[in-house]
Amino acid sequence: MSPAVDTLLLAFTAEGGLALPTSALFMGAEPHPALQDWPNLLGWQPFKPRAAAWERAGFHRADDLPSGKWPLVLMLPGKSRDETLSWFALARSRLAPGGTLLVAMPNTAGAGRFEKELAKATGAIFSLQKHKCRAFHATDDGTWDEAQFQEWQHLSELREISGFTVQAGIFSSDHIDPGSQLLADHLPAHFHGRIADLGAGWGFLSAALLQRCPKLTQLDLYEADARALDCARINLAAQPQEISYHWHDVNTGLLAIYDAIIMNPPFHTGQATDVDLGRAFLKVAAASLKRGGKLLLVANRQLPYEAALEVSGLAWRKITEDKIYKILSAEKR
Ligand SMILES: C[S@@+](CC[C@H](N)C(=O)[O-])C[C@H]1O[C@@H](n2cnc3c(N)ncnc32)[C@H](O)[C@@H]1O
């Protein structure tokens, strides 16, 4: 359970002053035992591991952010400014008249700053702090600045970088990641057969692979962020090859065995660096390669992935490195 959910729920104690609603929408939903008694709680969660945890706990989940009106919208936004502001607007447009918007965020994600932003549109705001997080809520009294919400709503629209479609909040939504670019520059043309892109994001590496490797017969994208995967579908729509899109937690294993796998593995859980996440991706990749199958990955130079490749039965070599990144190539023995 995340400390942000614990803090969010304090709004329903005597200190917070909110009463339990008859129904609620939860954007960025995460489960909590205290939510079990809530009537008509609907969750939306674009990140697969958290969506799966929400469902496992027995809560209702919507695949896409539902339209409708609720007396309460709860929200656990992500890290990006544009995503958080656009979620304020998306939540506002789902509030019934007189409804309450309740947000919780870690202090390190800029909770104080975002509370001030929301107050710009709502005026009065109630705030409490605990567990290094802040929960703040405002109730629609008919005086909210709708023009401000409309401005924020535009931030959720699809946008373009270098000819690719992206959306606020997904990985590398305002520039091509330099590590991914380095990997794209080193993709070998001889990769062939069925290939997987793990943590495929909005499809930058997949697009490069499809362009570079004429003997590729099928490409599988695995990505946990549903919004990024939707962008990938748009970005690769014109490609003639067979492509499958999996909204999937790579840590649960892959759905097929591959001739080659490429990846720029994630190494953050929330705000913190999490080397184990990358190591888990390597292990899953190794288990899903044919004998002789190839793995190509980019990582920050300081991340100690080589030992994990050894342990997983892969023979590896470093193809290149620059001041920040290294490209590792490995083969299943
Ligand atoms: C470093 S980014 C690389 C994105 C893309 N391949 C690129 O090069 O632009 C890592 C990606 O892994 C995704 N991711 C994080 N955890 C995941 C998981 N457990 N399963 C699948 N994808 C995950 C993130 O959403 C993100 O898009």
Side-chain angles (χ1 to χ4, degrees), residues 128-216:
L128 48 83
Q129 288 187 62
K130 201 156 188 184
H131 312 303
K132 298 186 178 154
C133 294
R134 187 183 281 246
F136 45 98
H137 62 86
T139 297
D140 176 17
D141 58 3
T143 66
W144 286 9
D145 181 350
E146 302 303 339
Q148 179 66 78
F149 281 110
Q150 258 170 23
E151 193 182 314
W152 289 338
Q153 175 108 27
H154 290 305
L155 298 173
S156 68
E157 288 165 5
L158 297 180
R159 44 181 95 163
E160 265 200 19
I161 50 166
S162 310
F164 292 102
T165 296
V166 298
Q167 191 178 26
I170 66 175
F171 176 78
S172 86
S173 63
D174 53 8
H175 65 287
I176 306 282
D177 179 65
S180 298
Q181 183 64 61
L182 190 67
L183 183 57
D185 293 342
H186 289 83
L187 285 174
H190 62 77
F191 270 12
H192 62 274
R194 189 165 185 184
I195 304 184
D197 179 359
L198 306 194
W202 49 257
F204 173 72
L205 288 174
S206 288
L209 198 63
L210 290 163
Q211 203 178 22
R212 181 73 61 88
C213 306
K215 292 188 186 140
L216 177 157

Coordinates of all heavy atoms in Angstrom, one line a residue, residues 128-216:
L128 N -4.1 18.3 4.2 CA -3.5 17.7 5.4 C -2.3 16.9 5.0 O -2.2 16.5 3.8 CB -4.5 16.8 6.2 CG -5.3 15.8 5.5 CD1 -4.5 14.5 5.2 CD2 -6.5 15.5 6.3
Q129 N -1.3 16.8 5.9 CA 0.0 16.2 5.5 C 0.3 15.0 6.5 O 0.1 15.2 7.7 CB 1.1 17.2 5.6 CG 1.1 18.2 4.5 CD 2.3 19.1 4.6 OE1 3.4 18.5 4.4 NE2 2.1 20.3 4.8
K130 N 0.7 13.9 6.0 CA 1.2 12.8 6.8 C 1.9 11.8 5.9 O 1.7 11.9 4.7 CB 0.0 12.1 7.5 CG 0.5 11.3 8.7 CD -0.6 11.1 9.7 CE 0.1 10.4 10.9 NZ -0.8 10.1 11.9
H131 N 2.7 10.9 6.4 CA 3.5 9.9 5.7 C 4.3 10.5 4.5 O 4.4 9.9 3.5 CB 2.5 8.9 5.1 CG 1.5 8.3 6.0 ND1 1.8 7.7 7.2 CD2 0.1 8.3 6.0 CE1 0.7 7.3 7.9 NE2 -0.3 7.7 7.1
K132 N 4.8 11.7 4.7 CA 5.6 12.4 3.7 C 4.8 12.7 2.4 O 5.3 12.7 1.3 CB 6.9 11.7 3.3 CG 7.8 11.5 4.5 CD 9.1 10.9 4.1 CE 10.0 10.8 5.3 NZ 11.0 9.8 5.2
C133 N 3.4 12.7 2.6 CA 2.5 13.0 1.5 C 1.6 14.1 1.9 O 1.5 14.4 3.1 CB 1.7 11.8 1.1 SG 2.7 10.4 0.5
R134 N 0.8 14.6 0.9 CA -0.1 15.6 1.2 C -1.4 15.2 0.5 O -1.4 14.8 -0.7 CB 0.4 16.9 0.6 CG -0.4 18.2 0.9 CD 0.2 19.4 0.2 NE 1.4 19.9 0.9 CZ 1.5 21.1 1.4 NH1 0.4 21.9 1.4 NH2 2.6 21.5 2.0
A135 N -2.6 15.4 1.2 CA -3.9 15.2 0.6 C -4.6 16.5 0.6 O -4.6 17.2 1.6 CB -4.7 14.1 1.3
F136 N -5.2 16.9 -0.5 CA -5.9 18.2 -0.5 C -7.2 18.0 -1.3 O -7.3 17.2 -2.3 CB -5.0 19.3 -1.1 CG -4.3 19.0 -2.3 CD1 -4.7 19.3 -3.6 CD2 -3.0 18.3 -2.3 CE1 -4.0 19.1 -4.8 CE2 -2.3 18.0 -3.4 CZ -2.8 18.4 -4.6
H137 N -8.2 18.7 -0.9 CA -9.5 18.6 -1.5 C -10.3 19.9 -1.6 O -10.1 20.8 -0.8 CB -10.4 17.5 -0.9 CG -10.8 17.7 0.5 ND1 -11.9 18.4 0.9 CD2 -10.2 17.3 1.7 CE1 -12.0 18.4 2.2 NE2 -10.9 17.7 2.7
A138 N -11.1 20.0 -2.6 CA -11.9 21.2 -2.8 C -13.3 20.7 -3.3 O -13.4 19.7 -3.9 CB -11.3 22.1 -3.9
T139 N -14.3 21.5 -2.9 CA -15.7 21.1 -3.2 C -16.3 22.2 -4.1 O -16.1 23.4 -3.8 CB -16.5 21.0 -1.9 OG1 -15.9 19.9 -1.1 CG2 -18.0 20.7 -2.2
D140 N -16.9 21.8 -5.2 CA -17.4 22.7 -6.2 C -18.6 23.5 -5.5 O -19.6 23.0 -5.2 CB -17.9 21.8 -7.3 CG -18.6 22.7 -8.4 OD1 -18.4 23.9 -8.4 OD2 -19.3 22.1 -9.2
D141 N -18.3 24.8 -5.5 CA -19.4 25.7 -4.9 C -19.9 26.7 -6.0 O -20.5 27.7 -5.6 CB -18.8 26.5 -3.7 CG -17.6 27.3 -4.2 OD1 -17.2 27.3 -5.4 OD2 -17.0 28.0 -3.3
G142 N -19.6 26.3 -7.2 CA -20.1 27.1 -8.3 C -19.3 28.3 -8.7 O -19.5 29.0 -9.6
T143 N -18.1 28.5 -8.0 CA -17.3 29.6 -8.3 C -15.9 29.2 -8.9 O -15.0 30.0 -9.0 CB -17.0 30.4 -7.0 OG1 -16.1 29.6 -6.1 CG2 -18.2 30.8 -6.2
W144 N -15.8 28.0 -9.2 CA -14.5 27.5 -9.8 C -14.2 28.2 -11.1 O -15.1 28.5 -11.9 CB -14.5 26.0 -9.9 CG -14.4 25.2 -8.6 CD1 -14.5 25.7 -7.4 CD2 -14.2 23.8 -8.4 NE1 -14.3 24.8 -6.4 CE2 -14.2 23.6 -7.1 CE3 -14.0 22.7 -9.3 CZ2 -14.0 22.3 -6.5 CZ3 -13.9 21.5 -8.8 CH2 -13.9 21.2 -7.4
D145 N -12.9 28.3 -11.4 CA -12.4 29.0 -12.6 C -12.4 27.9 -13.7 O -11.4 27.2 -13.9 CB -11.0 29.5 -12.3 CG -10.5 30.3 -13.5 OD1 -11.1 30.1 -14.6 OD2 -9.4 30.9 -13.4
E146 N -13.5 27.9 -14.5 CA -13.6 26.8 -15.5 C -12.6 27.0 -16.6 O -12.2 26.1 -17.3 CB -15.1 26.8 -16.1 CG -16.1 26.6 -15.0 CD -16.0 25.3 -14.2 OE1 -15.3 24.4 -14.6 OE2 -16.5 25.2 -13.0
A147 N -12.3 28.3 -16.9 CA -11.3 28.6 -18.0 C -9.9 27.9 -17.6 O -9.3 27.4 -18.5 CB -11.1 30.1 -18.2
Q148 N -9.6 28.0 -16.4 CA -8.3 27.3 -15.9 C -8.4 25.8 -16.1 O -7.4 25.2 -16.7 CB -8.1 27.7 -14.5 CG -6.8 27.0 -13.9 CD -5.5 27.6 -14.5 OE1 -5.1 28.7 -14.2 NE2 -5.0 26.9 -15.5
F149 N -9.5 25.2 -15.8 CA -9.6 23.8 -16.0 C -9.5 23.4 -17.5 O -8.9 22.4 -17.9 CB -10.9 23.2 -15.4 CG -10.8 23.0 -13.9 CD1 -11.5 23.9 -13.0 CD2 -10.1 22.0 -13.4 CE1 -11.5 23.7 -11.7 CE2 -10.0 21.8 -12.0 CZ -10.7 22.7 -11.1
Q150 N -10.2 24.3 -18.3 CA -10.1 24.0 -19.8 C -8.7 24.1 -20.3 O -8.3 23.3 -21.1 CB -11.0 25.0 -20.5 CG -12.3 24.4 -20.9 CD -13.3 25.3 -21.4 OE1 -13.0 26.4 -21.9 NE2 -14.6 25.0 -21.3
E151 N -8.0 25.1 -19.8 CA -6.5 25.2 -20.2 C -5.8 23.9 -19.9 O -5.0 23.4 -20.7 CB -5.9 26.4 -19.5 CG -4.6 26.8 -20.1 CD -4.1 28.0 -19.2 OE1 -4.9 28.9 -18.9 OE2 -2.9 27.9 -18.9
W152 N -6.0 23.4 -18.7 CA -5.3 22.2 -18.2 C -5.8 20.9 -19.0 O -5.1 20.0 -19.3 CB -5.6 21.9 -16.7 CG -4.9 22.9 -15.8 CD1 -3.8 23.6 -16.1 CD2 -5.2 23.2 -14.5 NE1 -3.4 24.4 -15.1 CE2 -4.3 24.2 -14.0 CE3 -6.2 22.8 -13.6 CZ2 -4.3 24.7 -12.7 CZ3 -6.3 23.4 -12.3 CH2 -5.3 24.3 -11.9
Q153 N -7.1 21.0 -19.4 CA -7.6 19.8 -20.2 C -6.8 19.6 -21.4 O -6.6 18.5 -21.9 CB -9.1 20.1 -20.5 CG -9.7 19.0 -21.4 CD -10.7 18.1 -20.6 OE1 -11.3 18.5 -19.6 NE2 -10.9 16.9 -21.0
H154 N -6.4 20.7 -22.1 CA -5.6 20.6 -23.3 C -4.3 19.8 -23.1 O -3.8 19.2 -24.1 CB -5.3 22.0 -23.9 CG -6.5 22.7 -24.4 ND1 -7.3 22.1 -25.3 CD2 -7.0 23.9 -24.1 CE1 -8.3 22.9 -25.6 NE2 -8.2 24.0 -24.9
L155 N -3.8 19.8 -21.9 CA -2.5 19.2 -21.6 C -2.6 17.6 -21.8 O -1.6 16.9 -21.8 CB -2.0 19.5 -20.2 CG -1.7 21.0 -20.0 CD1 -1.4 21.3 -18.6 CD2 -0.6 21.5 -20.9
S156 N -3.9 17.1 -21.7 CA -4.0 15.6 -21.8 C -4.1 15.2 -23.3 O -4.2 14.0 -23.6 CB -5.3 15.2 -21.1 OG -6.4 15.7 -21.8
E157 N -4.2 16.2 -24.2 CA -4.4 15.8 -25.6 C -3.1 15.2 -26.2 O -2.0 15.5 -25.7 CB -4.7 17.1 -26.5 CG -6.1 17.5 -26.1 CD -6.4 18.9 -26.6 OE1 -5.5 19.5 -27.3 OE2 -7.5 19.4 -26.3
L158 N -3.3 14.3 -27.2 CA -2.1 13.7 -27.8 C -1.3 14.8 -28.5 O -1.9 15.8 -29.0 CB -2.6 12.7 -28.9 CG -3.4 11.5 -28.4 CD1 -3.8 10.6 -29.5 CD2 -2.6 10.7 -27.3
R159 N 0.0 14.7 -28.5 CA 0.9 15.6 -29.1 C 2.0 14.9 -29.9 O 2.0 13.7 -29.8 CB 1.5 16.5 -28.0 CG 2.0 15.8 -26.8 CD 2.6 16.7 -25.8 NE 1.7 17.0 -24.7 CZ 2.1 17.5 -23.5 NH1 3.3 17.7 -23.3 NH2 1.2 17.8 -22.6
E160 N 2.8 15.7 -30.6 CA 3.8 15.1 -31.5 C 5.2 15.4 -31.1 O 5.4 16.6 -30.7 CB 3.5 15.5 -32.9 CG 2.7 14.6 -33.7 CD 2.9 14.8 -35.2 OE1 3.9 15.4 -35.7 OE2 2.0 14.3 -35.9
I161 N 6.1 14.5 -31.1 CA 7.5 14.8 -31.0 C 8.2 14.0 -32.2 O 8.0 12.8 -32.3 CB 8.2 14.5 -29.7 CG1 7.9 13.1 -29.2 CG2 7.8 15.5 -28.6 CD1 8.9 12.6 -28.1
S162 N 9.0 14.7 -33.0 CA 9.7 14.1 -34.1 C 8.8 13.2 -34.9 O 9.2 12.1 -35.3 CB 10.9 13.3 -33.6 OG 11.7 14.1 -32.7
G163 N 7.6 13.6 -35.1 CA 6.7 12.9 -36.0 C 6.0 11.7 -35.3 O 5.2 11.0 -35.9
F164 N 6.2 11.5 -34.0 CA 5.6 10.4 -33.2 C 4.5 11.0 -32.3 O 4.7 12.1 -31.8 CB 6.6 9.7 -32.3 CG 7.6 8.9 -33.1 CD1 8.9 9.4 -33.3 CD2 7.3 7.6 -33.6 CE1 9.8 8.6 -34.0 CE2 8.2 6.9 -34.3 CZ 9.5 7.4 -34.5
T165 N 3.5 10.2 -32.1 CA 2.4 10.6 -31.2 C 2.7 10.2 -29.7 O 3.1 9.1 -29.5 CB 1.1 10.0 -31.6 OG1 0.7 10.5 -32.9 CG2 -0.1 10.3 -30.6
V166 N 2.6 11.2 -28.8 CA 2.8 10.9 -27.4 C 1.8 11.6 -26.6 O 0.9 12.3 -27.1 CB 4.2 11.4 -27.0 CG1 5.3 10.8 -27.7 CG2 4.3 13.0 -27.1
Q167 N 1.8 11.3 -25.3 CA 0.8 11.9 -24.3 C 1.6 12.3 -23.0 O 2.4 11.5 -22.6 CB -0.3 11.0 -24.1 CG -1.5 11.7 -23.4 CD -2.7 10.8 -23.1 OE1 -2.5 9.5 -23.1 NE2 -3.8 11.3 -23.0
A168 N 1.1 13.4 -22.4 CA 1.8 13.7 -21.1 C 1.7 12.6 -20.1 O 0.7 11.9 -20.1 CB 1.0 15.0 -20.5
G169 N 2.7 12.4 -19.4 CA 2.7 11.4 -18.3 C 3.4 10.1 -18.7 O 3.8 9.3 -17.8
I170 N 3.5 9.8 -20.0 CA 4.2 8.5 -20.4 C 5.7 8.8 -20.5 O 6.1 10.0 -20.6 CB 3.6 8.0 -21.7 CG1 3.9 8.9 -22.9 CG2 2.1 7.7 -21.6 CD1 3.4 8.3 -24.3
F171 N 6.5 7.7 -20.6 CA 7.9 7.9 -20.7 C 8.3 8.6 -22.0 O 7.8 8.4 -23.0 CB 8.6 6.5 -20.7 CG 10.1 6.5 -20.9 CD1 10.9 6.9 -19.8 CD2 10.7 6.3 -22.1 CE1 12.3 7.0 -19.9 CE2 12.0 6.4 -22.3 CZ 12.8 6.7 -21.2
S172 N 9.3 9.5 -21.8 CA 9.8 10.4 -22.9 C 8.8 11.0 -23.7 O 8.7 10.8 -25.0 CB 10.9 9.6 -23.7 OG 10.4 8.9 -24.7
S173 N 7.9 11.8 -23.1 CA 6.8 12.4 -23.8 C 7.2 13.8 -24.3 O 6.3 14.5 -24.9 CB 5.6 12.5 -22.9 OG 5.8 13.3 -21.8
D174 N 8.4 14.3 -24.0 CA 8.8 15.6 -24.6 C 10.1 15.5 -25.4 O 10.5 16.5 -26.0 CB 8.8 16.7 -23.6 CG 9.6 16.3 -22.4 OD1 10.4 15.3 -22.5 OD2 9.6 17.1 -21.4
H175 N 10.7 14.4 -25.5 CA 11.9 14.3 -26.3 C 12.2 12.8 -26.5 O 11.7 11.9 -25.7 CB 13.1 14.9 -25.6 CG 13.5 14.2 -24.3 ND1 12.7 14.3 -23.1 CD2 14.5 13.3 -24.0 CE1 13.2 13.5 -22.2 NE2 14.3 12.9 -22.6
I176 N 13.0 12.5 -27.5 CA 13.4 11.1 -27.7 C 14.5 10.8 -26.6 O 15.4 11.6 -26.5 CB 14.1 10.9 -29.1 CG1 13.2 11.4 -30.2 CG2 14.6 9.4 -29.3 CD1 12.1 10.5 -30.6
D177 N 14.3 9.7 -25.9 CA 15.3 9.4 -24.9 C 16.6 9.1 -25.5 O 16.8 8.3 -26.4 CB 14.8 8.1 -24.1 CG 15.8 7.7 -23.1 OD1 15.9 8.5 -22.1 OD2 16.4 6.6 -23.2
P178 N 17.7 9.8 -25.0 CA 19.0 9.6 -25.7 C 19.5 8.2 -25.6 O 20.2 7.7 -26.5 CB 19.9 10.5 -24.9 CG 19.1 11.2 -23.9 CD 17.7 10.8 -24.0
G179 N 19.2 7.4 -24.5 CA 19.6 6.0 -24.4 C 18.9 5.2 -25.5 O 19.5 4.4 -26.1
S180 N 17.6 5.4 -25.7 CA 16.9 4.7 -26.7 C 17.4 5.0 -28.1 O 17.5 4.2 -29.0 CB 15.4 5.1 -26.7 OG 14.9 4.7 -25.4
Q181 N 17.8 6.3 -28.3 CA 18.4 6.7 -29.6 C 19.7 5.9 -29.8 O 19.9 5.4 -30.9 CB 18.7 8.2 -29.6 CG 19.2 8.7 -30.9 CD 18.2 8.6 -32.0 OE1 17.1 9.1 -32.0 NE2 18.5 7.8 -33.1
L182 N 20.5 5.8 -28.8 CA 21.8 5.1 -28.9 C 21.5 3.6 -29.3 O 22.2 3.0 -30.1 CB 22.6 5.2 -27.6 CG 24.0 4.7 -27.7 CD1 24.9 5.5 -28.5 CD2 24.6 4.6 -26.2
L183 N 20.5 3.0 -28.6 CA 20.2 1.6 -29.0 C 19.7 1.5 -30.4 O 20.1 0.6 -31.1 CB 19.1 1.1 -28.0 CG 18.7 -0.3 -28.1 CD1 19.9 -1.3 -28.0 CD2 17.7 -0.8 -27.1
A184 N 18.8 2.5 -30.8 CA 18.3 2.4 -32.2 C 19.4 2.5 -33.2 O 19.4 1.8 -34.2 CB 17.3 3.6 -32.4
D185 N 20.4 3.3 -32.8 CA 21.6 3.5 -33.8 C 22.4 2.2 -33.9 O 23.2 2.1 -34.8 CB 22.5 4.6 -33.3 CG 21.8 6.0 -33.4 OD1 20.8 6.1 -34.1 OD2 22.2 6.9 -32.7
H186 N 22.2 1.3 -32.9 CA 23.1 0.1 -32.9 C 22.2 -1.2 -33.1 O 22.7 -2.3 -32.9 CB 23.9 0.0 -31.6 CG 25.0 1.0 -31.5 ND1 24.8 2.3 -31.1 CD2 26.3 0.9 -31.9 CE1 25.9 2.9 -31.2 NE2 26.8 2.1 -31.6
L187 N 21.0 -1.0 -33.6 CA 20.2 -2.2 -33.9 C 20.8 -3.0 -35.1 O 21.0 -2.3 -36.2 CB 18.8 -1.8 -34.2 CG 17.9 -1.4 -33.1 CD1 16.5 -0.9 -33.6 CD2 17.7 -2.6 -32.1
P188 N 21.1 -4.3 -35.0 CA 21.7 -5.0 -36.1 C 20.6 -5.3 -37.2 O 19.5 -5.8 -36.8 CB 22.3 -6.2 -35.5 CG 21.6 -6.4 -34.2 CD 21.0 -5.1 -33.8
A189 N 20.9 -5.2 -38.4 CA 20.0 -5.4 -39.5 C 19.6 -6.9 -39.6 O 18.6 -7.3 -40.2 CB 20.5 -4.9 -40.8
H190 N 20.5 -7.8 -39.0 CA 20.3 -9.2 -39.2 C 19.3 -9.8 -38.2 O 19.0 -11.0 -38.3 CB 21.6 -10.0 -39.1 CG 22.3 -9.8 -37.8 ND1 21.9 -10.5 -36.7 CD2 23.4 -9.1 -37.4 CE1 22.7 -10.2 -35.7 NE2 23.6 -9.3 -36.1
F191 N 18.8 -9.0 -37.3 CA 17.8 -9.6 -36.4 C 16.6 -10.1 -37.2 O 16.2 -9.4 -38.1 CB 17.3 -8.5 -35.4 CG 18.1 -8.4 -34.1 CD1 19.3 -9.1 -33.9 CD2 17.6 -7.7 -33.0 CE1 20.0 -9.0 -32.8 CE2 18.3 -7.6 -31.8 CZ 19.5 -8.3 -31.7
H192 N 16.1 -11.3 -36.9 CA 15.1 -11.9 -37.7 C 14.0 -12.6 -36.9 O 14.2 -12.8 -35.7 CB 15.7 -12.8 -38.7 CG 16.4 -14.0 -38.0 ND1 17.7 -13.9 -37.5 CD2 15.9 -15.2 -37.6 CE1 18.0 -15.0 -36.9 NE2 16.9 -15.8 -36.9
G193 N 13.0 -13.0 -37.6 CA 12.0 -13.9 -36.9 C 11.1 -13.1 -36.0 O 10.7 -12.0 -36.3
R194 N 10.7 -13.7 -34.9 CA 9.8 -13.1 -33.9 C 10.6 -12.3 -32.8 O 11.4 -12.9 -32.2 CB 8.9 -14.2 -33.3 CG 7.8 -13.6 -32.5 CD 6.7 -14.6 -32.1 NE 5.6 -14.0 -31.4 CZ 4.6 -14.6 -30.9 NH1 4.5 -15.9 -31.1 NH2 3.6 -13.9 -30.3
I195 N 10.3 -11.1 -32.7 CA 11.1 -10.2 -31.8 C 10.1 -9.5 -30.8 O 9.0 -9.2 -31.2 CB 11.9 -9.2 -32.7 CG1 12.7 -9.9 -33.7 CG2 12.7 -8.3 -31.8 CD1 13.6 -9.0 -34.5
A196 N 10.6 -9.3 -29.6 CA 9.8 -8.6 -28.6 C 10.6 -7.3 -28.2 O 11.8 -7.3 -28.1 CB 9.6 -9.5 -27.4
D197 N 9.8 -6.3 -27.9 CA 10.3 -5.0 -27.3 C 9.7 -4.9 -25.9 O 8.4 -4.8 -25.8 CB 9.8 -3.9 -28.3 CG 10.3 -2.5 -27.8 OD1 10.9 -2.4 -26.7 OD2 10.0 -1.5 -28.5
L198 N 10.5 -5.0 -24.9 CA 10.0 -5.0 -23.5 C 10.0 -3.6 -22.9 O 11.0 -2.9 -22.9 CB 10.8 -5.9 -22.6 CG 11.0 -7.4 -23.1 CD1 11.6 -8.2 -22.0 CD2 9.7 -8.0 -23.6
G199 N 8.9 -3.2 -22.4 CA 8.7 -1.8 -21.9 C 8.8 -0.9 -23.1 O 9.6 0.0 -23.2
A200 N 7.9 -1.2 -24.1 CA 8.0 -0.6 -25.4 C 7.7 0.9 -25.5 O 7.9 1.6 -26.5 CB 7.2 -1.4 -26.4
G201 N 7.0 1.4 -24.4 CA 6.7 2.8 -24.4 C 5.8 3.1 -25.6 O 4.9 2.4 -25.9
W202 N 6.0 4.3 -26.2 CA 5.1 4.7 -27.3 C 5.7 4.2 -28.7 O 5.2 4.6 -29.7 CB 4.9 6.2 -27.4 CG 6.1 7.1 -27.2 CD1 6.5 7.8 -26.1 CD2 7.1 7.4 -28.2 NE1 7.7 8.5 -26.3 CE2 8.1 8.3 -27.6 CE3 7.3 7.1 -29.6 CZ2 9.2 8.8 -28.4 CZ3 8.4 7.6 -30.3 CH2 9.3 8.4 -29.7
G203 N 6.7 3.3 -28.6 CA 7.1 2.5 -29.8 C 8.3 3.0 -30.5 O 8.5 2.6 -31.7
F204 N 9.1 3.9 -29.9 CA 10.3 4.4 -30.6 C 11.2 3.3 -31.1 O 11.6 3.2 -32.2 CB 11.0 5.4 -29.7 CG 12.3 5.8 -30.3 CD1 12.3 6.7 -31.4 CD2 13.5 5.4 -29.8 CE1 13.5 7.1 -32.0 CE2 14.7 5.8 -30.4 CZ 14.7 6.6 -31.5
L205 N 11.6 2.4 -30.1 CA 12.5 1.3 -30.5 C 11.9 0.3 -31.5 O 12.5 -0.2 -32.4 CB 13.0 0.5 -29.3 CG 13.9 1.3 -28.4 CD1 14.2 0.5 -27.1 CD2 15.2 1.6 -29.1
S206 N 10.6 0.1 -31.3 CA 9.9 -0.8 -32.3 C 9.9 -0.2 -33.7 O 10.1 -1.0 -34.6 CB 8.4 -1.0 -31.8 OG 8.4 -1.9 -30.6
A207 N 9.7 1.1 -33.8 CA 9.6 1.7 -35.1 C 11.0 1.6 -35.7 O 11.1 1.3 -36.9 CB 9.3 3.2 -34.9
A208 N 12.1 1.8 -34.9 CA 13.4 1.7 -35.5 C 13.7 0.2 -35.9 O 14.3 0.0 -37.0 CB 14.4 2.1 -34.4
L209 N 13.3 -0.7 -35.1 CA 13.5 -2.2 -35.4 C 12.8 -2.5 -36.8 O 13.3 -3.2 -37.6 CB 12.9 -3.0 -34.3 CG 13.3 -4.4 -34.1 CD1 14.8 -4.5 -33.8 CD2 12.5 -5.0 -32.9
L210 N 11.5 -2.1 -36.9 CA 10.8 -2.4 -38.1 C 11.4 -1.8 -39.3 O 11.4 -2.4 -40.4 CB 9.3 -1.9 -38.0 CG 8.5 -2.6 -36.9 CD1 7.2 -1.8 -36.6 CD2 8.1 -4.0 -37.4
Q211 N 12.0 -0.7 -39.2 CA 12.7 0.0 -40.3 C 14.0 -0.7 -40.6 O 14.4 -0.9 -41.8 CB 13.0 1.4 -39.9 CG 13.1 2.3 -41.1 CD 13.3 3.7 -40.7 OE1 13.7 4.0 -39.6 NE2 13.0 4.7 -41.6
R212 N 14.7 -1.2 -39.6 CA 16.1 -1.7 -39.8 C 16.2 -3.1 -40.1 O 17.1 -3.6 -40.8 CB 16.9 -1.4 -38.4 CG 18.3 -1.9 -38.4 CD 19.2 -0.9 -39.2 NE 19.2 0.4 -38.7 CZ 19.9 0.9 -37.7 NH1 20.8 0.1 -37.2 NH2 19.9 2.1 -37.3
C213 N 15.2 -3.9 -39.7 CA 15.3 -5.4 -39.8 C 14.4 -6.0 -40.8 O 13.2 -6.4 -40.4 CB 15.2 -6.1 -38.5 SG 16.2 -5.4 -37.2
P214 N 14.7 -6.2 -42.1 CA 13.8 -6.7 -43.1 C 13.4 -8.1 -42.9 O 12.3 -8.5 -43.4 CB 14.6 -6.6 -44.4 CG 16.0 -6.5 -44.0 CD 16.1 -5.9 -42.6
K215 N 14.2 -8.9 -42.1 CA 13.8 -10.3 -41.9 C 13.0 -10.5 -40.6 O 12.7 -11.7 -40.2 CB 15.0 -11.2 -41.8 CG 15.7 -11.2 -43.2 CD 16.9 -12.2 -43.1 CE 17.6 -12.2 -44.4 NZ 19.1 -12.3 -44.2
L216 N 12.5 -9.4 -40.0 CA 11.6 -9.5 -38.8 C 10.3 -10.0 -39.4 O 9.7 -9.5 -40.4 CB 11.5 -8.2 -38.2 CG 10.5 -8.0 -37.0 CD1 11.0 -6.7 -36.2 CD2 9.1 -7.8 -37.4

